[in-house]
Amino acid sequence: MDHQMSGHDHAQMQEPSIEEMEIRGWKKKMIWAWIFTIPIAILMLGERLLGFELFPEKVMPIIILALAFPVIFITGWQTIRGGLRGLFTFYFNMDSLIALGTLIAYFSGLLHIFFKNGDYSGVSAMIMAIFVTGKYIETKARGQATQEIKKLLELGAKKARLLQGKIEVEVDISELKIGDIMIIKPGEKIPTDGIVVRGESAVDESMISGESLPVEKGKGSAVIGATLNQDGILYVKATKIGSDTFLAHIINLVEEAQGTKIPIQKLADKVTSIFVPTILIIATLTFIAWLYLTGDINRSLGVGISVLVIACPCALGLAVPIALMVGSGMGAKRGILIRKGEAIQTMKEVRIFVFDKTGTITKGKPEVTNIHSKVKENYLLDIAASLETLSEHPIAHAIVSRANLKKYRKVTNFNIVRGKGVMGKIGSKDIVIGNRSLMTDKNIKYDDLDQKIRGFESEGKTIMIIAENKKALGIIAVADAIKEDSAQAINILNQLGYKIFMLTGDNELTARAIAFQVGIKNVIANVLPEDKAKKVEELQKYGMVAFVGDGINDAPALKQANVGIAMGSGTDIAIEAGDIVLVKGSLRGAIAALNLSKATFKKIKQNLFWAFGYNVIMIPLAMAGILNPVFAEVAMALSSISVITNANLLRRIRV
């Protein structure tokens, strides 16, 4: 996969993402803010509460101003600039109050040097330090960066082996041209999309299709870049390169589907946009009223700053992210990783659950489900496993795993019949294991087993017929087994009244058989990987959709859904594309995520109530002149602590 694909550069992709840089940035600011603020707090508390002075009265204001300067104008510069811009553009936000409150408080310290008015410069540093801490918590709670594009780019092959004349030449992937003949040996990735011109092999396309069984490829078969060649050499003519490939197309779908989701702060932001200008007007009117009534500019300024400080919506800023942090921490301990904070709010509004089949409802690898034998079952498994142990096919692995033999019989003349089965000799006996087609080719009659075979096939199972010396001995049915708790989880969702769909690239028969076993009535089968996101989009017309998947082919659908739930047992790209990741790969986690979402959102609403309630009570006290700015600052800190404490009560809730 070259860097021209989708315009991404490999070197660039190794750098930290914007979200990671933002988290690091706020953390750095928070540490520096407290390095300068803690000495200010010690000096102020020592002087005002304990009555001792470390420095002379004339020097003290200068030291505090010097210590507060980096906190306000370096660590807090982004906030100051944003807040002042808001005042001029009339787009008010939380930064507007912080900027105004801290600047007025800071400059009161400068004025104190000349006019001996009240000095609130130390308070300004405390306000900013608490605010920066809140911002760090908020950015961290939004979840670490999504790196799905990086993961996708890493899936592609870096080199290609080309046939030029009669010699093999290894070139960088970026040098590939349409029409080049690529040689892909067993175990290698296919460099780009193409058509097989020579050779036969099975190709593992699970990272693209999510389907567990490899796909047989021969002359004329289409292959997809980044899929894995298994047991034969393929000569492939490149038909698409760079941004035209299937993998590049999937990347584009993921990028397009990264639209904005319901912002969890919408309510708080809406209220803040009205709240901030109202407070500015109240603070100004309070200052004018006090100045008019008392004629004391010191007192009037103190009261005005108190109103701004007490109204500073730090608790409001913390209300949402702190509850998210606690909720996501609880989730992590239970194997539910909340990667996007928005999912907490959106999850509780979900009405439709859409499940991928392979690797989500099922285990994603074939297992022996049934054995029907006309001889002793042990004998049937013995000869079947002895032959199949020589094959690399997943069905062969399933049979060998079920037999669990300590010693295998000696097999001679072993032969793989591609797409049909295997043959060999055990002693003097000719053994043939395979599908109906292989039995017909070898003139082996299996009429007496036909009814049983049809029954298993109607359940979506793959059938292997075992024959010895032209006589059918029995059948082994293999299927992608359902996870133990899938039916239980889906049953709970059914009882809760959710509408449930299964979305799969598999055929209708197999899909219906699996859906019936787990209690899903709505099945959408034969869906191409690139169409999964479209199907989710269609369902979104009827309500909020949660999509649960595990493969690279699910990434666009996980992004398109209102909430993408990725199975932790799946591919890296699916995990990176999910808003919520179920580490244990169990659907029970989806129920726990639902309960956690409801409990966390309840705490968020409580926090917002307390944050607003605190302002409703405290602002009149500040206006009345009862609260000194220092105590207003302490009260503001206490309101933030109460919000944090309430969020931590979430830990007691069972999900």
Side-chain angles (χ1 to χ4, degrees):
M1 205 64 212
D2 71 325
H3 62 264
Q4 65 183 305
M5 186 183 78
S6 197
H8 295 281
D9 190 296
H10 269 296
Q12 181 188 327
M13 295 312 290
Q14 300 305 318
E15 292 172 9
S17 67
I18 293 163
E19 291 95 334
E20 282 174 329
M21 285 165 73
E22 192 183 4
I23 291 166
R24 286 182 202 171
W26 282 113
K27 187 177 182 180
K28 205 169 162 186
K29 285 176 185 174
M30 177 184 75
I31 291 165
W32 280 108
W34 284 110
I35 284 171
F36 289 101
T37 303
I38 289 167
I40 291 173
I42 292 166
L43 289 172
M44 285 175 67
L45 289 171
E47 183 187 8
R48 294 179 191 185
L49 296 182
L50 305 175
F52 70 85
E53 290 182 8
L54 288 171
F55 299 100
E57 196 181 330
K58 287 182 180 178
V59 182
M60 188 76 149
I62 296 165
I63 290 169
I64 287 179
L65 279 168
L67 286 169
F69 185 86
V71 181
I72 306 297
F73 296 103
I74 298 175
T75 63
W77 177 242
Q78 188 181 335
T79 305
I80 297 288
R81 193 178 58 188
L84 292 178
R85 192 187 296 135
L87 294 174
F88 291 118
T89 58
F90 294 99
Y91 177 73
F92 300 107
N93 55 19
M94 222 181 291
D95 293 357
S96 309
L97 283 187
I98 299 291
L100 212 58
T102 50
L103 287 177
I104 292 170
Y106 184 81
F107 286 115
S108 73
L110 282 174
L111 291 171
H112 175 77
I113 296 169
F114 303 104
F115 303 109
K116 300 296 172 204
N117 57 287
D119 179 6
Y120 306 112
S121 54
V123 175
S124 69
M126 289 184 198
I127 298 168
M128 190 57 79
I130 289 172
F131 180 75
V132 168
T133 304
K135 290 299 276 186
Y136 167 65
I137 291 169
E138 189 183 332
T139 49
K140 197 164 169 56
R142 273 194 238 130
Q144 295 287 351
T146 16
Q147 298 171 1
E148 61 271 9
I149 305 299
K150 181 179 171 183
K151 295 279 181 188
L152 276 169
L153 284 165
E154 288 170 359
L155 276 178
K158 307 290 180 281
K159 300 273 182 186
R161 192 182 288 105
L162 301 183
L163 185 64
Q164 294 182 347
K166 289 191 177 179
I167 58 164
E168 293 181 17
V169 183
E170 191 170 71
V171 300
D172 193 83
I173 199 79
S174 58
E175 294 171 40
L176 261 181
K177 296 181 196 73
I178 290 174
D180 281 347
I181 304 296
M182 304 174 288
I183 304 164
I184 301 107
K185 295 182 178 177
E188 290 182 343
K189 279 182 183 178
I190 294 170
T192 194
D193 298 3
I195 299 283
V196 176
V197 291
R198 195 163 99 223
E200 288 184 337
S201 185
V203 174
D204 177 1
E205 295 187 340
S206 59
M207 73 266 289
I208 294 291
S209 66
E211 296 306 320
S212 49
L213 297 177
V215 182
E216 300 293 337
K217 302 288 181 183
K219 190 177 178 182
S221 300
V223 291
I224 297 167
T227 56
L228 202 62
N229 183 28
Q230 290 207 314
D231 53 5
I233 296 178
L234 289 176
Y235 292 80
V236 175
K237 182 181 179 181
T239 56
K240 288 177 183 173
I241 56 168
S243 57
D244 295 327
T245 61
F246 183 86
L247 190 57
H249 184 49
I250 291 279
I251 288 176
N252 288 334
L253 285 174
V254 173
E255 285 181 323
E256 283 166 22
Q258 280 180 325
T260 51
K261 298 186 182 182
I262 291 179
I264 201 154
Q265 296 245 219
K266 210 170 187 178
L267 170 67
D269 289 348
K270 201 171 182 179
V271 174
T272 305
S273 67
I274 302 161
F275 178 74
V276 173
T278 308
I279 291 301
L280 291 176
I281 293 163
I282 290 170
T284 308
L285 292 175
T286 303
F287 170 73
I288 292 165
W290 272 82
L291 191 59
Y292 176 73
L293 292 170
T294 65
D296 184 346
I297 193 161
N298 266 345
R299 187 86 175 103
S300 306
L301 189 64
V303 173
I305 292 171
S306 291
V307 173
L308 284 175
V309 170
I310 205 77
C312 170
C314 280
L316 192 57
L318 281 170
V320 173
I322 196 66
L324 276 182
M325 277 196 83
V326 175
S328 55
M330 281 176 65
K333 283 181 185 170
R334 290 159 178 78
I336 305 157
L337 300 182
I338 297 160
R339 302 191 65 258
K340 293 283 174 67
E342 294 92 329
I344 285 283
Q345 179 172 352
T346 317
M347 187 74 174
K348 68 174 189 57
E349 293 168 21
V350 163
R351 293 291 166 264
I352 300 163
F353 271 87
V354 181
F355 293 96
D356 168 51
K357 179 181 76 68
T358 310
T360 302
I361 292 171
T362 65
K363 291 178 182 175
K365 62 175 189 176
E367 288 183 2
V368 171
T369 56
N370 308 84
I371 299 169
H372 177 74
S373 180
K374 296 194 284 185
V375 293
K376 279 191 174 176
E377 192 176 290
N378 286 354
Y379 179 71
L380 190 78
L381 276 172
D382 197 348
I383 58 170
S386 296
L387 255 76
E388 295 289 16
T389 192
L390 301 171
S391 168
E392 285 300 311
H393 201 283
I395 287 178
H397 289 309
I399 292 170
V400 170
S401 175
R402 173 63 185 267
N404 197 19
L405 301 177
K406 287 188 172 66
K407 195 177 175 193
Y408 299 100
R409 292 168 185 254
K410 191 182 175 189
V411 176
T412 55
N413 296 354
F414 178 75
N415 187 18
I416 294 173
V417 185
R418 187 153 308 284
K420 294 182 181 179
V422 293
M423 301 188 302
K425 275 180 106 75
I426 293 178
S428 61
K429 293 171 179 173
D430 284 313
I431 310 295
V432 179
I433 303 170
N435 57 21
R436 293 166 181 269
S437 178
L438 185 59
M439 298 300 135
T440 305
D441 290 352
K442 299 294 166 189
N443 292 319
I444 297 167
K445 298 276 184 284
Y446 56 89
D447 298 353
D448 52 342
L449 296 171
D450 197 54
Q451 195 178 346
K452 210 76 182 161
I453 291 169
R454 286 178 193 278
F456 290 144
E457 283 179 340
S458 71
E459 294 169 11
K461 294 169 183 174
T462 302
I463 307 303
M464 292 284 112
I465 303 165
I466 296 93
E468 182 183 85
N469 291 339
K470 302 266 183 187
K471 190 178 166 193
L473 299 183
I475 51 178
I476 295 175
V478 174
D480 186 1
I482 292 166
K483 290 179 185 174
E484 287 78 7
D485 53 8
S486 289
Q488 191 183 6
I490 287 162
N491 181 40
I492 292 169
L493 288 173
N494 274 323
Q495 285 175 3
L496 291 170
Y498 290 95
K499 204 157 180 60
I500 301 171
F501 288 81
M502 181 201 279
L503 191 62
T504 179
D506 219 335
N507 65 70
E508 188 90 24
L509 184 72
T510 306
R512 292 262 170 215
I514 298 284
F516 177 75
Q517 288 177 63
V518 294
I520 295 177
K521 296 185 181 73
N522 308 298
V523 176
I524 306 171
N526 297 310
V527 181
L528 293 171
E530 61 266 40
D531 289 337
K532 283 192 173 184
K534 285 181 198 162
K535 293 289 178 191
V536 169
E537 195 177 359
E538 285 168 23
L539 290 171
Q540 281 174 318
K541 292 171 190 167
Y542 305 101
M544 293 274 195
V545 172
F547 180 84
V548 191
D550 78 315
I552 174 180
N553 61 310
D554 297 325
L558 283 162
K559 277 293 175 191
Q560 176 62 46
N562 300 95
V563 180
I565 302 174
M567 307 302 278
S569 51
T571 61
D572 284 351
I573 166 61
I575 291 168
E576 291 291 344
D579 301 315
I580 294 173
V581 179
L582 306 179
V583 176
K584 293 168 188 167
S586 156
L587 289 187
R588 288 294 299 275
I591 312 292
L594 196 62
N595 293 337
L596 182 65
S597 159
K598 288 175 179 173
T600 307
F601 199 72
K602 192 176 174 183
K603 277 290 168 212
I604 287 170
K605 286 201 289 190
Q606 285 174 5
N607 273 356
L608 289 173
F609 171 79
W610 288 116
F612 284 124
Y614 149 85
N615 279 320
V616 168
I617 295 162
M618 289 297 188
I619 289 167
L621 293 178
M623 289 167 69
I626 295 168
L627 283 178
N628 176 290
V630 176
F631 294 112
E633 166 64 27
V634 172
M636 187 187 80
L638 287 173
S639 76
S640 297
I641 290 164
S642 67
V643 159
I644 292 167
T645 307
N646 184 48
N648 278 291
L649 293 175
L650 187 61
R651 297 183 198 280
R652 297 181 181 181
I653 294 163
R654 290 186 64 183
V655 295

